[in-house]
Amino acid sequence: MDSFFFIATGMLCLLTASGDRGIGKARSCSDIRHFYSGKGFHLDDVPQSEISGEHLRICPQGYTCCTSDMEEKLATLSRREMEGLLKEAGRALQTSLSGQYKAFDGYLQELLNRSEVALQETFAPSMGLLYSQNAPVFSDLYMELRRYCRTSNVNLEEALNDFWARLLEKLFNQANQQYIIDEDYQECVSKQMETLRPFGDAPRELKLKVTRALVAARSFIQGLLVSGDVVRKVSQVQLSLECMRAMMRMTYCPHCRGMASARPCANYCSNVMKGCLANQADLNTEWRHLADTMVQVAGRFDGPTGVDVVILSLPNRIAEAISTMMENIEAVNSKVRKLPSWPHQKGYRALMYTDAGQVLDASRRLKDMQPYWVSLPSVLCSDRMATGAGAEDRCWNGMNRARYLPEVMGDGLASQINNPEVEIDITKPDMTIRQQIMQLKIMTHRLKNALNGNDVDFVDTSDDASGSGSGICADDCPPSPRLIVPITQPPMVYARPENERVVKGSASQNLPCVLSSLLSLAALLLLLWR
């Protein structure tokens, strides 16, 4: 009888020592006190030893070292830390995109600077005073090209058309100083440029090449800016309350349970992150489309129609256009044909500035960033989840140290309908992210237009004001400029009376509308350039 009593007493003591902590001595909370204070919280919140966990709303309701206030504060901390990680990852991508933007913007501006210097070095010695007096026409062209590359309020085709019209007007006035030419007549000459074609095919060909090259270059730069802006805005999106609860359960609930060393199971972490970043993953399709299209545009920067070749050949093309103008006029007058012609491209040599390495680097970086939004869950889980021998059986699964059984969800909002870790209403997408998806679509559309040489910001006006009349001048053409008679008094400008129509006269009367004036232009230019 006595022996039975002692055996029963021993078994009861053993059960008491190893059984429910409510019966035995509660475990100390010293570990979490140290951890909690290290996070910047006050130790008054932390109990000295484990307490019953019926008050918990996120963590498992077993015996715990966390109070309701602690659970709430740690949950808020987990969301703040997660949002910080997303911003940090976004900043890394933004830095890469910003670096590419600065490199290509600087590359484009340097091309324009080199081209303008080459034009000055080519034209100043051969044209002398004639160039210096008309230099603003050329400098204004380059200024407009620079403005176009950096803004969207410059119509590139209009800027090029205006350049040729102003160049014709300036040369016309310079060559006809013996005539008084009013503004109406100058405007008539400019409007008839398509009909007169004084520069041959150069204006049309140059407009096509410059437009295609610069539209592609500017669209590529805009693509880099839009991409960086999308990353910035999406990385700042606040995570949902459901995500906060899931992050708390995965990150800090093990501490509350006295399992500070437990790391999340790999599939468990994947489901939490895929649920938290479901809206971000929906960027994937349009993000890839944008990156693919930008790679195609970057491929247009090389070759004979590349932006460097087109911009650096501008001085040569302009010189050839002026030469063509002179040759066309000489063909009309056999006497002028005998005079020495203006020298062709004197001492000109195109400066090539291809940076193929930069283009290849940009293409590689764009390809690397394609899976960014769907790879975020695995990137963020990489330094969290349990690894090594026995990890699958001893990792934190949200409730305890054990294997995680649910399957891993797919990417995107629609795939989270059965996510066991994050409760999501798939019918209510994040509107900020939806807006950024639309921005990606718009930018991709612009880039695809750029591949065809079309600038979507402006309507093609290449056929406007083309002077499509049947003759060089129509009936409303201003009167021909009058020859200045060498007298001592200031010359007088004879304006046409209202409603008076121009009457064609004989050779002894006023010069024909434009043709004779251009002959005078040819003669004077040839004399000036001898």
Side-chain angles (χ1 to χ4, degrees):
M1 184 72 176
D2 290 340
S3 61
F4 176 79
F5 175 81
F6 284 115
I7 293 173
T9 302
M11 293 181 63
L12 179 61
C13 291
L14 180 63
L15 290 172
T16 303
S18 60
D20 194 328
R21 292 192 185 96
I23 301 174
K25 184 179 179 181
R27 187 162 53 187
S28 171
C29 292
S30 59
D31 288 345
I32 196 171
R33 287 175 66 85
H34 178 74
F35 163 79
Y36 195 70
S37 63
K39 292 293 184 179
F41 298 119
H42 204 280
L43 281 176
D44 291 346
D45 296 339
V46 189
Q48 294 291 336
S49 58
E50 286 183 330
I51 60 176
S52 180
E54 289 84 358
H55 57 279
L56 298 177
R57 294 294 176 265
I58 300 175
C59 296
Q61 293 183 337
Y63 279 86
T64 181
C65 282
C66 288
T67 64
S68 296
D69 287 342
M70 290 175 63
E71 186 181 46
E72 182 179 346
K73 289 177 180 178
L74 288 173
T76 302
L77 175 64
S78 68
R79 179 166 71 175
R80 187 166 66 245
E81 289 177 340
M82 177 63 175
E83 289 173 347
L85 290 174
L86 288 174
K87 290 179 182 178
E88 184 179 345
R91 276 193 295 268
L93 183 54
Q94 282 180 262
T95 299
S96 176
L97 292 168
S98 176
Q100 292 296 313
Y101 163 74
K102 291 178 181 178
F104 272 92
D105 179 68
Y107 162 69
L108 200 55
Q109 297 302 317
E110 184 175 354
L111 285 176
L112 290 168
N113 291 340
R114 284 171 176 252
S115 179
E116 186 171 15
V117 169
L119 185 142
Q120 293 170 353
E121 292 176 347
T122 301
F123 281 38
S126 59
M127 295 177 62
L129 182 62
L130 187 62
Y131 171 74
S132 61
Q133 290 176 341
N134 298 305
V137 177
F138 303 102
S139 62
D140 287 349
L141 170 64
Y142 282 94
M143 181 182 68
E144 289 296 286
L145 296 180
R146 290 188 185 93
R147 288 182 58 221
Y148 173 80
C149 291
R150 286 184 167 173
T151 64
S152 60
N153 59 354
V154 175
N155 188 314
L156 184 57
E157 290 193 357
E158 285 186 2
L160 293 169
N161 290 338
D162 183 63
F163 163 72
W164 292 110
R166 288 182 62 198
L167 180 61
L168 177 60
E169 177 185 323
K170 292 291 184 181
L171 295 177
F172 183 84
N173 290 339
Q174 189 74 28
N176 289 278
Q177 297 182 13
Q178 71 272 36
Y179 293 98
I180 296 179
I181 307 173
D182 62 19
E183 293 183 358
D184 289 340
Y185 191 84
Q186 294 176 15
E187 184 178 357
C188 173
V189 174
S190 297
K191 286 185 176 180
Q192 303 305 318
M193 191 171 69
E194 285 290 329
T195 303
L196 296 170
R197 299 181 69 249
F199 302 112
D201 293 329
R204 285 186 177 275
E205 292 177 354
L206 201 62
K207 180 167 64 175
L208 177 63
K209 291 180 179 179
V210 170
T211 299
R212 282 184 174 274
L214 290 190
V215 164
R218 189 184 72 156
S219 297
F220 184 82
I221 291 175
Q222 286 181 334
L224 293 172
L225 286 174
V226 169
S227 300
D229 194 53
V230 168
V231 174
R232 178 181 62 82
K233 291 179 178 178
V234 173
S235 298
Q236 293 176 351
V237 171
Q238 190 177 36
L239 298 177
S240 66
L241 291 175
E242 291 77 12
C243 176
M244 179 183 72
R245 294 172 62 87
M247 288 300 303
M248 170 62 190
R249 190 179 302 110
M250 181 178 74
T251 306
Y252 293 130
C253 284
H255 290 269
C256 294
R257 291 279 289 170
M259 303 177 186
S261 62
R263 296 169 70 84
C265 301
N267 289 350
Y268 172 45
C269 185
S270 293
N271 276 343
V272 171
M273 293 301 183
K274 284 176 179 287
C276 286
L277 303 176
N279 282 282
Q280 287 84 338
D282 281 345
L283 286 158
N284 179 61
T285 299
E286 293 305 326
W287 182 260
R288 284 180 174 272
H289 286 168
L290 176 63
D292 281 338
T293 312
M294 289 180 69
V295 170
Q296 294 179 47
V297 173
R300 297 289 181 89
F301 294 159
D302 199 12
T305 60
V307 63
D308 54 347
V309 175
V310 171
I311 291 179
L312 291 175
S313 65
L314 275 175
N316 195 19
R317 300 287 82 80
I318 294 172
E320 290 176 350
I322 296 177
S323 177
T324 298
M325 173 181 172
M326 301 308 301
E327 291 173 356
N328 289 341
I329 296 175
E330 289 172 354
V332 178
N333 190 325
S334 59
K335 292 182 180 180
V336 176
R337 188 183 297 115
K338 296 177 182 179
L339 296 175
S341 61
W342 181 59
H344 290 253
Q345 307 169 29
K346 194 172 184 179
Y348 178 76
R349 181 174 62 88
L351 299 173
M352 292 298 101
Y353 184 64
T354 303
D355 193 347
Q358 187 179 75
V359 174
L360 289 174
D361 182 61
S363 298
R364 185 177 63 253
R365 288 173 181 265
L366 289 169
K367 291 177 182 178
D368 290 342
M369 80 177 193
Q370 286 181 328
Y372 175 78
W373 297 109
V374 292
S375 66
L376 266 179
S378 60
V379 170
L380 295 173
C381 282
S382 61
D383 60 349
R384 292 171 176 266
M385 57 191 181
T387 57
E392 292 184 2
D393 295 321
R394 297 292 298 164
C395 54
W396 175 255
N397 65 6
M399 296 296 294
N400 212 327
R401 283 181 181 268
R403 179 180 291 270
Y404 183 76
L405 299 178
E407 63 177 349
V408 178
M409 299 293 102
D411 299 312
L413 189 61
S415 300
Q416 309 309 312
I417 188 169
N418 293 318
N419 192 315
E421 309 305 333
V422 187
E423 185 178 345
I424 301 176
D425 185 350
I426 65 171
T427 65
K428 295 181 179 179
D430 185 277
M431 296 313 298
T432 298
I433 293 179
R434 294 294 146 175
Q435 290 171 357
Q436 298 314 303
I437 291 175
M438 182 56 65
Q439 291 301 312
L440 293 175
K441 288 183 178 180
I442 292 172
M443 191 64 240
T444 301
H445 175 73
R446 291 179 175 177
L447 285 162
K448 288 181 177 179
N449 274 276
L451 287 171
N452 297 321
N454 301 322
D455 194 338
V456 298
D457 291 330
F458 306 110
V459 177
D460 186 353
T461 57
S462 58
D463 293 331
D464 292 346
S466 60
S468 57
S470 58
I472 292 181
C473 276
D475 290 340
D476 60 349
C477 183
S480 301
R482 297 180 180 276
L483 187 65
I484 300 176
V485 182
I487 54 178
T488 56
Q489 294 181 349
M492 298 180 63
V493 178
Y494 297 92
R496 177 178 60 187
E498 287 190 21
N499 301 323
E500 179 180 335
R501 301 176 67 84
V502 177
V503 180
K504 294 184 179 179
S506 65
S508 62
Q509 293 177 334
N510 290 340
L511 295 174
C513 183
V514 172
L515 184 57
S516 297
S517 300
L518 287 178
L519 289 173
S520 300
L521 165 64
L524 183 56
L525 287 179
L526 288 170
L527 290 173
L528 287 171
W529 288 335
R530 288 190 64 178

